[in-house]
Amino acid sequence: MNRRRISRHRGRSVTTAIALACALSVLVLPGQAYADPPPPPGSGSGSGSGSGSGKSLDEVRREIDGLYRKAAVATDAYNLAEDQAQTQSGEIAKLARQIVAGEQKIEKLKDRIGAQARAQYRTGGVPQSARLMMSGDPDLFLRGAGRMQQGQQAVKGMLDEMTRAQEDLRTYSQDASGEWKKLEANRKRKAEAQKEIEKQIDAAEKLEARLETGERARLLELERDEQYRAQRSWLDSGALKNGGGAGATEQGRRAVGYATAQIGAPYVWGAEGPDAFDCSGLTQQAWAAAGHDIPRTSQEQWRLLPKVRMADIRPGDLIVYFADASHVAMYIGDGKMVHAPRPGRSVTVAGAGSMPILGVVRAR
């Protein structure tokens, strides 16, 4: 799969409205009754053959989920390598400017020192101190000695400055070489991550493509059923018994507004808008729209942003999922979150407890 921007269609607003309505209709809220979606006729309880694979549909669903989870981990690695490569490219450009400036400084110092040498050559090579001694004029000797001392200090100062400039130049060159090696290493990691992403997504898509139309529909029901059960279990655990923390800040409201405005936009790995997103691309751009920069990947968001207790969660906070922090969503209140789920899905609203929660972090 190539990274590409996907243009918005004219029907985007209609798609967004439908997606939001469907998402809200299936959320399990505190005190709301829950019922398992009835299986379609002839499908049993999700124990179909999986298009002759010998596996039940639920096993196929779990396998597909596993492949997309591996793709999500690789996507995080890809995004981190790209982010670091951009930083290193900037450092290399900065060092290159410093190297050019250092070279120019050294050339100017060489010219000034050369001018001093040429001035001495024009006196026939006789040291200035000797010429003063031979003058026989004490006043001239004293005045000349003072000027000679100043000249010697100036030359020494220029030589010292040139030595420092040469040392700086060597340091800049070494730093540039180090940054270049890091850049090449990150480019290699990025290429490896891209291959892994494409491999896992291709395997998942092929597995799903082998299913019949009815099986695909039932597979989607099983996916939603699993999410409903997880959300109900999370709410029943009392995770939000106090309704969460305080209300959203002004920046939090802006971040939530941006994220929910993207409902219906497709998931594309490595994308960070404006027309497509991956999970951390959505949360990063939402907070950027609110005027605050946060790390690019879900793992870095989990590692670097302040942790918040679930009891204190408020709209705009980020919920990080799975033990490896491979997925992230934005909490929007009332037990709900908005996220970019995975390839083949669009930005949507879902139950905040519909996946295994690792923890909560706060951008602001």
Side-chain angles (χ1 to χ4, degrees), residues 64-83:
I64 290 172
D65 284 349
L67 290 168
Y68 280 125
R69 287 259 295 106
K70 289 179 182 177
V73 173
T75 298
D76 238 27
Y78 176 94
N79 289 335
L80 181 60
E82 181 179 39
D83 201 43

Side-chain angles (χ1 to χ4, degrees), residues 182-199:
K182 290 179 186 177
L183 177 62
E184 289 303 304
N186 276 317
R187 283 175 174 167
K188 183 179 179 182
R189 282 197 291 271
K190 182 177 167 182
E192 290 171 351
Q194 180 172 345
K195 288 180 183 177
E196 181 66 15
I197 293 165
E198 292 170 348
K199 172 186 171 184

Side-chain angles (χ1 to χ4, degrees), residues 54-303:
K55 298 178 181 179
S56 70
L57 273 176
D58 196 52
E59 288 174 325
V60 171
R61 177 189 65 79
R62 293 179 186 277
E63 186 174 351
I64 290 172
D65 284 349
L67 290 168
Y68 280 125
R69 287 259 295 106
K70 289 179 182 177
V73 173
T75 298
D76 238 27
Y78 176 94
N79 289 335
L80 181 60
E82 181 179 39
D83 201 43
Q84 290 176 337
Q86 290 175 350
T87 299
Q88 280 139 14
S89 294
E91 283 297 315
I92 289 170
K94 176 183 174 182
L95 288 165
R97 290 192 295 271
Q98 290 174 324
I99 288 170
V100 170
E103 289 174 340
Q104 291 173 344
K105 183 177 182 179
I106 288 171
E107 287 303 314
K108 288 178 181 178
L109 288 168
K110 284 181 178 178
D111 288 344
R112 291 167 61 188
I113 293 170
Q116 290 280 353
R118 287 191 294 274
Q120 183 175 348
Y121 177 77
R122 285 193 293 271
T123 67
V126 179
Q128 189 176 6
S129 57
R131 288 187 287 108
L132 288 171
M133 290 290 291
M134 292 184 293
S135 70
D137 184 338
D139 290 338
L140 178 62
F141 175 81
L142 290 173
R143 289 194 302 272
R147 286 195 298 271
M148 182 180 69
Q149 186 178 17
Q150 290 173 356
Q152 288 172 342
Q153 289 175 342
V155 171
K156 182 179 182 302
M158 284 188 287
L159 289 171
D160 290 345
E161 189 175 358
M162 187 166 74
T163 299
R164 288 194 298 271
Q166 288 171 332
E167 289 174 352
D168 288 344
L169 195 57
R170 281 193 293 271
T171 300
Y172 295 151
S173 298
Q174 290 168 358
D175 289 348
S177 177
E179 290 297 331
W180 183 261
K181 289 177 182 177
K182 290 179 186 177
L183 177 62
E184 289 303 304
N186 276 317
R187 283 175 174 167
K188 183 179 179 182
R189 282 197 291 271
K190 182 177 167 182
E192 290 171 351
Q194 180 172 345
K195 288 180 183 177
E196 181 66 15
I197 293 165
E198 292 170 348
K199 172 186 171 184
Q200 300 300 338
I201 291 177
D202 184 60
E205 289 175 342
K206 284 180 178 177
L207 187 58
E208 197 164 359
R210 290 202 294 267
L211 300 175
E212 297 175 358
T213 302
E215 289 176 320
R216 286 186 204 140
R218 179 58 184 151
L219 195 70
L220 184 59
E221 278 192 16
L222 289 172
E223 181 181 307
R224 289 173 177 167
D225 183 55
E226 179 66 23
Q227 292 172 356
Y228 298 161
R229 291 179 186 278
Q231 174 75 351
R232 183 178 66 178
S233 176
W234 179 67
L235 292 171
D236 289 347
S237 73
L240 288 181
K241 60 183 177 181
N242 296 324
T249 62
E250 178 58 32
Q251 279 192 313
R253 283 192 290 273
R254 291 205 299 269
V256 168
Y258 179 93
T260 53
Q262 312 314 312
I263 291 171
Y267 177 107
V268 173
W269 62 266
E272 48 192 274
D275 302 310
F277 300 86
D278 62 21
C279 67
S280 57
L282 176 65
T283 54
Q284 184 199 42
Q285 290 305 307
W287 270 102
H292 183 55
D293 292 331
I294 64 173
R296 173 62 179 90
T297 71
S298 60
Q299 292 174 345
E300 289 294 280
Q301 289 170 7
W302 171 247
R303 186 174 70 88

Side-chain angles (χ1 to χ4, degrees), residues 14-29 32-34 220 223-225 227-228 231 235 259-260 262-265 330 332-341 345-354:
V14 176
T15 304
T16 299
I18 293 172
L20 179 57
C22 291
L24 293 175
S25 69
V26 300
L27 291 174
V28 182
L29 300 178
Q32 180 177 336
Y34 169 86
L220 184 59
E223 181 181 307
R224 289 173 177 167
D225 183 55
Q227 292 172 356
Y228 298 161
Q231 174 75 351
L235 292 171
T260 53
Q262 312 314 312
I263 291 171
M330 178 172 289
I332 61 175
D334 296 326
K336 302 188 290 288
M337 55 83 163
V338 60
H339 70 145
R345 300 287 188 265
S346 300
V347 175
T348 189
V349 171
S354 57

